[in-house]
Amino acid sequence: MTQTRRILVTSALPYINGVKHLGNLAGSMLPADVYARVMRLKGHDVTYICATDEHGTPAELAAQAAGQTVQQYCDEQYEIQRKAGEGFLLSYDWFGRTSRPANHKLTQHFAQMLEQNGLIASQTSKQVYAVDDGRFLPDRYVEGTCPHCGFEKARGDQCDNCGRLLDPVDLKNPYSAVTGSRNIEIRDTEHLYLQQTGMQETIRAWVNEKGVNWPSLAVSIANKWLDEGLIARSITRDLSWGVKVMSADGTPRPGFENKVFYVWFDAPIGYISATQEWAEATGNDWEKLWRRDKGADQTEYVQFMGKDNVAFHTVSFPVTLLGSGEPWKTVDKLKAFNWVTWYGGKFSTSNKRGVFMDTALSLLPADYWRWYLIANAPEGSDAAFTWEGFQAAVNSDLANVLGNFVNRITKYCASKFDGKVPEAGEPGEAEAWMANELATRLKAIDEYYEAMEFRKAAAETRALWAAGNEYLTKAEPWVKYKSDVDGAAVGVRAGINLAAVFAIIAQPIIPDAATKVLDALGIPKGNRRWPDWQDNGLLDAIPRGAPITPPDVLFQKIEDTQVAEWTERFGGG
């Protein structure tokens, strides 16, 4: 009996601005869901928390373009993202919002604790001021000519042409991205800065301790920032939408009435505040997950994110947590992913390149996408989505290997054994071979999931399904039936039990299809737990004589005509 573990899972918060594409899904939310599902099936106490990241300049600009208030825009987009998550069967325990009061309150608390500890200071800096707009313009509110490459539509924070990070005051011919006004001045403005320099050695020691449980990608990004030296980082912006900057007495901080905290300061705090929302709504205890003085040392905290989010999670957010001087839980295992590209390039709504979550579900069920994205997870390097690769994975792995196995064995059981698990016959060489395959491959699948190596776990899962087809070739129940019904009964019984095992281990990746198989086989919900690879009775676990029903076709193959149509519609090739 394995000991029950308490596990907190978070995935990088999807930004509120627009529906997320398949790369966003594959790089954080989906693997977090698969991991959470595996750990629940193994009997562990899992809490999977996510939320929409709703503050910052892009939300204000998008709301303005849509002719809505920012609140209206975020309310609408939150529902779209929540429904997309449900459509992809993401098993969040809670899907919160950083714009809710809990996150405002907690962000202000952290700021006050950090300032008490000398880690927040006010500094004057130069910033772009739009005279006609009557306001300072944060990074993305300013556009102009890149001082490095001459690109005329560079943003204040980055040039999309040459990729260089920019300071808005360095742009040539700057103008307001809001109104187009070129009546621009550079003025002094006051902001709060997180004094990360003072935490340099603390963070390095923390990374050295925790990084042994991280992939090399995450450790290398953290060390790159540390080796370059941490700098004081501005954590406020001249915006109206966001967490207000307050004094300790709860009143607006003088001089900061028209400023809010920078989105990258408050967004990670949203992990905690969303857990607080979950606890309040469900009667659970959030402190045992987040407060070390309340038992959180017994919690395993696992984060999932794309590589572009690693620096903030391995440096900036730990500065906030550790710098507060309070006993907050920090991440134990951090799984970082590279990017899913669209035929090697970027997903782009405006250029009709790539499939986004809502559209994907209008084409095919969630399981098809979930399988492909996990089986091709961008772990060692970026992974290019192609329609041809997608078609091959669905048709081969799902339709031919798993779907065909389940279809063959259940229909044969129905036609020759009255739809009941055969009772006669004793196992022989073929069953001994299959039992060994089960033990070896289930152990490997288990180890890969524990190591969060999703691509290998999916490959080993497929290999086990393939071994099941090979077993049927060895056992030949349809041949034996002509002269040895008892011999055929053994093969059918073992095959039905294999179908159950295959569906049970498929639950984390393709939960919908797995449920259909387990329902058809009459497996009670309480018996769908993760299989023990040391259990020698897996080929005879379903009660003999138990009724089964062949499920409907699990997976429709993707036709070449569909690939051609989708390539035309979404780009590719």
Side-chain angles (χ1 to χ4, degrees), residues 508-529:
I509 308 180
I510 47 172
D512 204 27
T515 298
K516 288 175 183 174
V517 175
L518 295 169
D519 285 349
L521 298 180
I523 308 296
K525 286 186 167 54
N527 291 353
R528 300 179 184 185
R529 300 286 283 273

Side-chain angles (χ1 to χ4, degrees), residues 415-438:
S415 66
K416 299 297 185 184
F417 293 92
D418 298 324
K420 294 179 181 177
V421 178
E423 299 188 39
E426 295 305 320
E429 287 184 14
E431 288 70 44
W433 175 86
M434 190 65 229
N436 183 65
E437 283 289 302
L438 272 174

Side-chain angles (χ1 to χ4, degrees), residues 202-485:
T202 300
I203 297 301
R204 188 180 290 280
W206 178 80
V207 169
N208 288 340
E209 176 197 351
K210 295 285 190 173
V212 295
N213 294 317
W214 305 349
S216 57
L217 174 65
V219 176
S220 63
I221 292 173
N223 282 330
K224 180 176 183 292
W225 273 46
L226 289 163
D227 291 345
E228 291 174 355
L230 299 186
I231 60 171
R233 186 178 184 88
S234 171
I235 57 166
T236 52
R237 290 290 186 272
D238 291 284
L239 293 168
S240 57
W241 174 251
V243 179
K244 299 297 183 186
V245 184
M246 310 296 279
S247 298
D249 63 2
T251 60
R253 186 180 181 121
F256 286 77
E257 294 88 352
N258 297 317
K259 303 178 195 287
V260 298
F261 283 105
Y262 179 37
V263 63
W264 253 113
F265 181 69
D266 86 79
I269 295 169
Y271 294 132
I272 309 174
S273 63
T275 312
Q276 291 176 329
E277 291 177 21
W278 160 79
E280 186 175 344
T282 60
N284 280 286
D285 177 10
W286 69 269
E287 290 187 311
K288 70 180 182 183
L289 300 176
W290 281 107
R291 297 279 304 195
R292 289 187 291 106
D293 57 337
K294 301 291 186 179
D297 278 337
Q298 278 68 58
T299 297
E300 295 175 37
Y301 179 21
V302 189
Q303 290 178 345
F304 292 83
M305 70 198 67
K307 59 186 176 184
D308 53 329
N309 285 328
V310 169
F312 296 101
H313 287 82
T314 58
V315 176
S316 300
F317 187 38
V319 166
T320 297
L321 294 175
L322 299 172
S324 72
E326 297 177 319
W328 293 101
K329 175 72 180 176
T330 57
V331 67
D332 296 304
K333 299 175 184 176
L334 187 152
K335 176 66 174 181
F337 289 85
N338 290 284
W339 286 321
V340 172
T341 62
W342 189 261
Y343 285 83
K346 287 184 176 180
F347 285 76
S348 171
T349 309
S350 56
N351 295 326
K352 294 184 179 177
R353 282 181 53 84
V355 176
F356 290 69
M357 285 173 67
D358 54 347
T359 309
L361 294 173
S362 71
L363 303 179
L364 290 168
D367 280 352
Y368 292 58
W369 304 101
R370 288 175 63 103
W371 174 258
Y372 177 81
L373 294 173
I374 290 296
N376 296 277
E379 292 174 312
S381 60
D382 290 350
F385 180 98
T386 68
W387 286 118
E388 296 77 14
F390 179 58
Q391 178 190 32
V394 168
N395 290 359
S396 174
D397 301 352
L398 298 183
N400 288 346
V401 182
L402 176 62
N404 185 48
F405 177 88
V406 172
N407 182 57
R408 286 164 72 196
I409 198 64
T410 55
K411 285 194 171 178
Y412 195 74
C413 180
S415 66
K416 299 297 185 184
F417 293 92
D418 298 324
K420 294 179 181 177
V421 178
E423 299 188 39
E426 295 305 320
E429 287 184 14
E431 288 70 44
W433 175 86
M434 190 65 229
N436 183 65
E437 283 289 302
L438 272 174
T440 303
R441 297 197 181 281
L442 286 175
K443 182 173 185 285
I445 293 167
D446 199 57
E447 289 171 349
Y448 287 138
Y449 275 129
E450 286 290 350
M452 295 185 286
E453 294 187 49
F454 295 94
R455 199 167 182 149
K456 290 179 179 177
E460 200 64 41
T461 299
R462 184 198 184 280
L464 184 54
W465 296 341
N469 283 284
E470 189 174 345
Y471 164 74
L472 290 183
T473 301
K474 291 176 182 289
E476 296 184 305
W478 14 86
V479 174
K480 289 179 180 174
Y481 191 83
K482 297 169 186 174
S483 58
D484 179 8
V485 175

Side-chain angles (χ1 to χ4, degrees), residues 105-295:
K105 182 179 178 181
L106 197 56
T107 299
Q108 289 158 352
H109 168 79
F110 272 111
Q112 287 160 15
M113 295 306 298
L114 289 163
E115 188 162 18
Q116 280 181 30
N117 294 334
L119 290 171
I120 285 181
S122 179
Q123 294 176 217
T124 299
S125 61
K126 297 197 177 295
Q127 194 170 328
V128 174
Y129 186 84
V131 178
D132 294 340
D133 298 11
R135 62 180 294 176
F136 284 100
L137 297 178
D139 307 352
R140 290 197 179 190
Y141 275 44
V142 191
E143 292 182 0
T145 302
C146 175
H148 303 289
C149 72
F151 181 58
E152 293 184 352
K153 291 198 61 90
R155 297 195 315 266
D157 60 346
Q158 186 172 5
C159 174
D160 283 341
N161 185 55
C162 68
R164 296 282 286 271
L165 297 177
L166 302 175
D167 188 313
V169 300
D170 294 332
L171 287 173
K172 297 178 180 178
N173 306 313
Y175 59 90
S176 167
V178 184
T179 63
S181 170
R182 294 184 179 272
N183 189 4
I184 298 295
E185 296 177 357
I186 306 300
R187 296 185 180 180
D188 287 341
T189 184
E190 190 178 8
H191 281 292
L192 298 181
Y193 281 73
L194 184 59
Q195 306 299 306
Q196 297 186 135
T197 313
M199 292 289 288
Q200 172 93 20
E201 295 311 313
T202 300
I203 297 301
R204 188 180 290 280
W206 178 80
V207 169
N208 288 340
E209 176 197 351
K210 295 285 190 173
V212 295
N213 294 317
W214 305 349
S216 57
L217 174 65
V219 176
S220 63
I221 292 173
N223 282 330
K224 180 176 183 292
W225 273 46
L226 289 163
D227 291 345
E228 291 174 355
L230 299 186
I231 60 171
R233 186 178 184 88
S234 171
I235 57 166
T236 52
R237 290 290 186 272
D238 291 284
L239 293 168
S240 57
W241 174 251
V243 179
K244 299 297 183 186
V245 184
M246 310 296 279
S247 298
D249 63 2
T251 60
R253 186 180 181 121
F256 286 77
E257 294 88 352
N258 297 317
K259 303 178 195 287
V260 298
F261 283 105
Y262 179 37
V263 63
W264 253 113
F265 181 69
D266 86 79
I269 295 169
Y271 294 132
I272 309 174
S273 63
T275 312
Q276 291 176 329
E277 291 177 21
W278 160 79
E280 186 175 344
T282 60
N284 280 286
D285 177 10
W286 69 269
E287 290 187 311
K288 70 180 182 183
L289 300 176
W290 281 107
R291 297 279 304 195
R292 289 187 291 106
D293 57 337
K294 301 291 186 179

